[in-house]
Amino acid sequence: MSFYSEMDLALKRMLNFNAPPLNNTAAEPVWKVLIYDRFGQDIISPLLSVKELRDMGITLHLLLHSDRDPIPDVPAVYFVMPTEENIDRICQDLRNQLYESYYLNFISAISRSKLEDIASAALAANAVSQVTKVYDQYLNFITLEDDMFILCHQNKELISYHAINRADIQDTDMEAIMDTIVDSLFCFFVTLGAVPIIRCPRGNAAEMVAVKLDKKLRENLRDARNSLFTGDNMAAGQFSFQRPLFVLADRNVDMATPLHHTWTYQALIHDVLDFHLNRVMMEEGAGAEPSPSGARPKKKNRKSYDLTAADKFWQKHKGSPFPEVAESVQEELDTYRAQEDEVKRLKSIMGLEGEDEGAISMLSDNTAKLTSAFSARAVGEERLIDLHTNVATAVLDHIKSRKLDVYFEYEEKLMSKSTLDKSLLDIISDPDAGTPEDKMRLFLIFYITGQQPPSESDLDQYKKALLDAGCDLSPLNYIKQWKAFTKMAATPANYGNSGVKPMGLFSRVMNTGSQFVMEGVKNLVLKQHVSLTLFICPYPENQAYNMDVNVGSSLRLVVFQAIVFVVGGGNYIEYQNLVDYAKSKQGKKVIYGCSELFNAAQFIKQVRPRPSASQPSWKGPSHSLPLTSDLSPQLAQLGQK
């Protein structure tokens, strides 16, 4: 069973009163109310649709802190974090006798003191018998794809890159951030049902997470009676030689990739549109007529589209270069129109042209059923085509107006050390090439990937051009200090040595009869160069040398599954790169995770120095780890091959 399916099953089990979900769809479900907080809402929404909730018997799903009316004859399933505010509100619900019975499910483990608070409130309200079940679900993370997860969406600034790397951070603040990250990662491995082999580089926040996670796993494994990794939760057994390899990386290892202009469908949507938790929000009627003089401007409607695992087109093309996606959308549209014309032709032959559904229903049962089935399929196809036509058109508008293809190609050449056919100053000075933020992103990548920083005179020239283009130079000040601090100037080769090539595969998209007029947009293909992949490359033929959790001696372990996690935030570019890497390794699976998911605009805001922040501050502990080893020599050897 896949990781995505494990998470989906865990949620459905919880909604079925912590019993295995019913496979018999004909059986009537027990109708109930779902009460969640914002954290629970974020966990559920990418996995379960409103229809699936209804099929599970959920008649209402309400936020815990909203105004809720009593429904005394219906059971309530709670799915919340065990915070003080949430516990107080649950106690208030008990006192107010809102529901028939209460099934309390906590996203992460609840403390004994808070459990006693609930017990006291239930006793005072004479509702002890109504509190039917209390569960720790260990689901404190968000599953976005079958091979991707993030830790949180709400309050993500508390564990953000800036929060970890600000210069004025106190030890207690850092401990709290690391504990929050470790709690979510522990929940992830409980749900996965496996004890990982932990690897990480030394001397950064990733090592601190590794130390704390190692300690938490060991403490749980020592308590054999209450261990979460034995029995049903641990399918392969604690001493399995097919344990996953857990590779922790620090965001400071690669600062260029989060700033990179991308060329794949999913990453482009996240970069240029409002895309969160598998839902893209778009404004309708961007080209609407202006309101009459003196009238209140019309409010633009926002429409949302869900890009989920049920969308076959999305699953097939989310990692494809955008021109290929545009061509595929056009092909789907042409196929749909051809099928629609064929149905009209058949109706005309049968003498049903222009007739309503009532006339069609008078046909034989088989013909009526066939017609109905095709109509239902056509409606679904039309909805998906409409979705991707609108989304792809919006992305294409950004590509054309900002010349994103030019930025992508130039940055690929910078990161792959290819020959540049155009001056960087020419792009920065071109008023028609992108926004000030696009220009700043390009220059930061140039600065990060360079063997040596530019001379003071050249830097002053670049700064003047950036200021003339309307750029904010504060991110550059941070990156200068970051590069000096991390001594990354000598290791830019980690970004790879393969560039991009113009492709002629998408020529059909270029014709004017297409829904997507790609004239003026270059056809480029993405080459793998993201340095994060190097973290899992040192394990050829699935072999990893590490210290076993219990044995304490060096063992040769066969690794079939790797989980790469970035402390400090990640992006869809790295995710897609690891997906492509896994496809090249038959029989292996790679899962990508990060503390938060951000696009380039959100990342730039985090690297703008605050008044007291001058440089990345955490230098890592001085002690060594029993479960980790320094990857630097292996990375160096890999770069020489």
Side-chain angles (χ1 to χ4, degrees):
M1 184 182 292
S2 69
F3 163 65
Y4 190 94
S5 300
E6 288 277 5
M7 188 69 175
D8 182 77
L9 182 62
L11 288 175
K12 288 181 177 178
R13 186 189 301 117
M14 178 195 74
L15 295 175
N16 195 42
F17 306 123
N18 289 289
L22 298 173
N23 294 325
N24 183 11
T25 55
E28 185 77 10
V30 177
W31 300 108
K32 59 189 87 74
V33 176
L34 173 62
I35 310 297
Y36 47 39
D37 59 2
R38 293 289 183 186
F39 291 92
Q41 185 180 37
D42 289 345
I43 293 168
I44 291 174
S45 61
L47 290 164
L48 300 176
S49 65
V50 174
K51 180 184 181 301
E52 288 175 300
L53 290 176
R54 180 59 60 89
D55 292 341
M56 292 293 297
I58 303 297
T59 56
L60 284 174
H61 42 96
L62 304 167
L63 286 169
L64 176 66
H65 293 282
S66 62
D67 294 329
R68 292 174 281 117
D69 295 324
I71 313 177
D73 56 346
V74 172
V77 175
Y78 285 71
F79 185 52
V80 298
M81 288 289 286
T83 63
E84 290 286 351
E85 296 81 5
N86 288 350
I87 298 301
D88 291 343
R89 189 57 189 262
I90 291 172
C91 293
Q92 182 182 327
D93 290 354
L94 292 172
R95 288 191 293 269
N96 294 337
Q97 298 286 313
L98 289 188
Y99 307 110
E100 177 187 63
S101 55
Y102 302 82
Y103 294 80
L104 306 181
N105 299 276
F106 294 102
I107 296 172
S108 59
I110 185 173
S111 65
R112 184 175 181 85
S113 62
K114 290 175 182 174
L115 201 58
E116 289 173 353
D117 291 341
I118 295 175
S120 298
L123 192 62
N126 196 25
V128 173
S129 61
Q130 293 174 271
V131 181
T132 310
K133 289 183 179 180
V134 180
Y135 272 87
D136 291 332
Q137 291 292 344
Y138 294 97
L139 297 174
N140 191 17
F141 58 95
I142 300 171
T143 305
L144 297 179
E145 305 282 350
D146 189 30
D147 45 12
M148 182 182 187
F149 71 99
I150 61 175
L151 297 194
C152 67
H153 182 64
Q154 300 293 325
N155 298 340
K156 59 184 179 182
E157 66 278 358
L158 298 179
I159 58 171
S160 66
Y161 175 83
H162 169 70
I164 295 171
N165 291 278
R166 59 190 176 91
D168 60 343
I169 190 169
Q170 303 296 316
D171 289 346
T172 52
D173 296 334
M174 178 61 81
E175 289 287 334
I177 293 171
M178 297 298 105
D179 287 341
T180 301
I181 293 174
V182 167
D183 177 70
S184 292
L185 289 175
F186 182 77
C187 291
F188 171 82
F189 285 109
V190 170
T191 303
L192 193 65
V195 178
I197 304 164
I198 305 174
R199 299 294 293 267
C200 79
R202 297 188 187 278
N204 51 35
E207 183 184 18
M208 195 172 181
V209 171
V211 173
K212 285 181 169 289
L213 180 61
D214 169 38
K215 181 181 178 183
K216 196 174 181 75
L217 288 168
R218 288 176 185 274
E219 288 175 350
N220 190 265
L221 289 168
R222 284 193 192 102
D223 187 359
R225 292 181 60 187
N226 299 311
S227 174
L228 297 165
F229 297 95
T230 56
D232 295 335
N233 286 331
M234 193 76 175
Q238 186 175 328
F239 297 96
S240 170
F241 283 88
Q242 295 187 15
R243 290 159 50 193
L245 174 68
F246 184 48
V247 182
L248 280 153
D250 191 281
R251 179 71 276 157
N252 284 309
V253 168
D254 175 13
M255 296 284 277
T257 301
L259 300 166
H260 187 26
H261 290 85
T262 185
W263 200 234
T264 55
Y265 191 30
Q266 186 178 45
L268 263 172
I269 291 172
H270 190 234
D271 189 18
V272 303
L273 302 179
D274 183 6
F275 183 47
H276 300 289
L277 302 180
N278 295 347
R279 175 170 294 176
V280 58
M281 301 290 295
M282 293 170 51
E283 288 186 350
E284 289 186 317
E289 296 180 2
S291 302
S293 178
R296 180 179 296 178
K298 293 181 180 178
K299 187 177 181 180
K300 293 180 180 178
N301 294 325
R302 285 176 65 82
K303 190 168 185 179
S304 65
Y305 298 102
D306 291 326
L307 301 172
T308 64
D311 185 341
K312 292 182 179 179
F313 183 91
W314 173 248
Q315 291 301 308
K316 182 178 180 181
H317 294 290
K318 64 185 179 184
S320 303
F322 182 76
E324 184 178 322
V325 175
E327 182 183 24
S328 298
V329 172
Q330 185 62 42
E331 289 176 352
E332 292 285 338
L333 190 60
D334 292 342
T335 302
Y336 173 76
R337 286 172 177 168
Q339 290 175 345
E340 196 175 45
D341 291 341
E342 180 66 13
V343 170
K344 289 179 181 178
R345 188 184 70 82
L346 290 174
K347 283 185 177 181
S348 177
I349 293 173
M350 298 169 67
L352 296 171
E353 189 174 9
E355 297 289 346
D356 58 14
E357 293 299 322
I360 296 175
S361 66
M362 297 175 64
L363 300 170
S364 68
D365 286 345
N366 290 339
T367 306
K369 287 178 182 177
L370 187 63
T371 305
S372 177
F374 176 80
S375 299
R377 179 185 172 189
V379 169
E381 289 181 352
E382 183 180 16
R383 183 184 62 81
L384 291 178
I385 292 171
D386 179 65
L387 184 162
H388 289 287
T389 300
N390 292 338
V391 171
T393 301
V395 171
L396 180 59
D397 288 343
H398 281 274
I399 293 174
K400 286 183 172 182
S401 64
R402 294 163 55 183
K403 296 186 178 179
L404 297 184
D405 53 330
V406 175
Y407 280 93
F408 166 73
E409 183 179 24
Y410 200 90
E411 290 167 4
E412 287 278 307
K413 290 178 178 178
L414 284 174
M415 298 170 80
S416 61
K417 304 297 180 288
S418 301
T419 304
L420 303 176
D421 55 359
K422 191 174 183 179
S423 165
L424 179 62
L425 274 175
D426 290 343
I427 298 179
I428 295 174
S429 303
D430 185 353
D432 297 324
T435 63
E437 185 179 272
D438 291 325
K439 299 175 192 293
M440 194 69 226
R441 288 166 61 180
L442 174 62
F443 181 74
L444 291 177
I445 291 173
F446 164 75
Y447 192 92
I448 290 168
T449 58
Q451 291 282 358
Q452 296 293 334
S455 65
E456 285 299 321
S457 59
D458 289 343
L459 188 58
D460 289 341
Q461 194 176 2
Y462 285 124
K463 283 183 176 180
K464 184 180 182 303
L466 290 168
L467 287 171
D468 291 343
C471 298
D472 176 9
L473 295 184
S474 57
L476 174 59
N477 298 330
Y478 180 90
I479 293 298
K480 284 173 64 178
Q481 293 158 347
W482 164 82
K483 189 163 185 175
F485 177 77
T486 55
K487 299 179 181 178
M488 287 288 287
T491 57
N494 282 357
Y495 291 103
N497 55 10
S498 57
V500 292
K501 299 177 182 178
M503 298 293 289
L505 300 177
F506 318 116
S507 57
R508 277 179 286 173
V509 185
M510 304 295 286
N511 67 75
T512 55
S514 171
Q515 181 80 14
F516 302 94
V517 181
M518 299 287 288
E519 187 175 355
V521 178
K522 296 183 180 181
N523 296 316
L524 306 167
V525 63
L526 181 67
K527 291 292 183 180
Q528 190 180 80
H529 59 74
V530 180
S531 61
L532 188 66
T533 308
L534 301 183
F535 272 79
I536 56 175
C537 290
Y539 313 110
E541 303 300 325
N542 291 327
Q543 303 299 329
Y545 292 87
N546 211 312
M547 301 297 291
D548 187 80
V549 170
N550 294 295
V551 178
S553 59
S554 184
L555 295 176
R556 186 170 181 145
L557 301 174
V558 180
V559 176
F560 291 100
Q561 183 180 50
I563 299 130
V564 180
F565 184 84
V566 186
V567 178
N571 52 78
Y572 280 110
I573 303 173
E574 290 170 342
Y575 162 66
Q576 187 58 49
N577 189 70
L578 288 173
V579 168
D580 294 340
Y581 174 82
K583 286 179 181 177
S584 68
K585 304 292 182 181
Q586 189 175 5
K588 295 88 177 169
K589 183 176 177 62
V590 179
I591 295 175
Y592 177 74
C594 52
S595 51
E596 65 163 324
L597 191 64
F598 45 54
N599 59 22
Q602 295 161 343
F603 185 59
I604 280 183
K605 288 180 181 178
Q606 294 199 41
V607 299
R608 287 195 180 111
R610 273 61 171 181
S612 60
S614 59
Q615 64 180 22
S617 61
W618 191 75
K619 300 178 177 61
S622 58
H623 60 271
S624 60
L625 293 178
L627 285 183
T628 62
S629 65
D630 192 354
L631 300 185
S632 301
Q634 298 171 25
L635 292 176
Q637 292 172 9
L638 187 66
Q640 295 169 0
K641 292 182 180 178

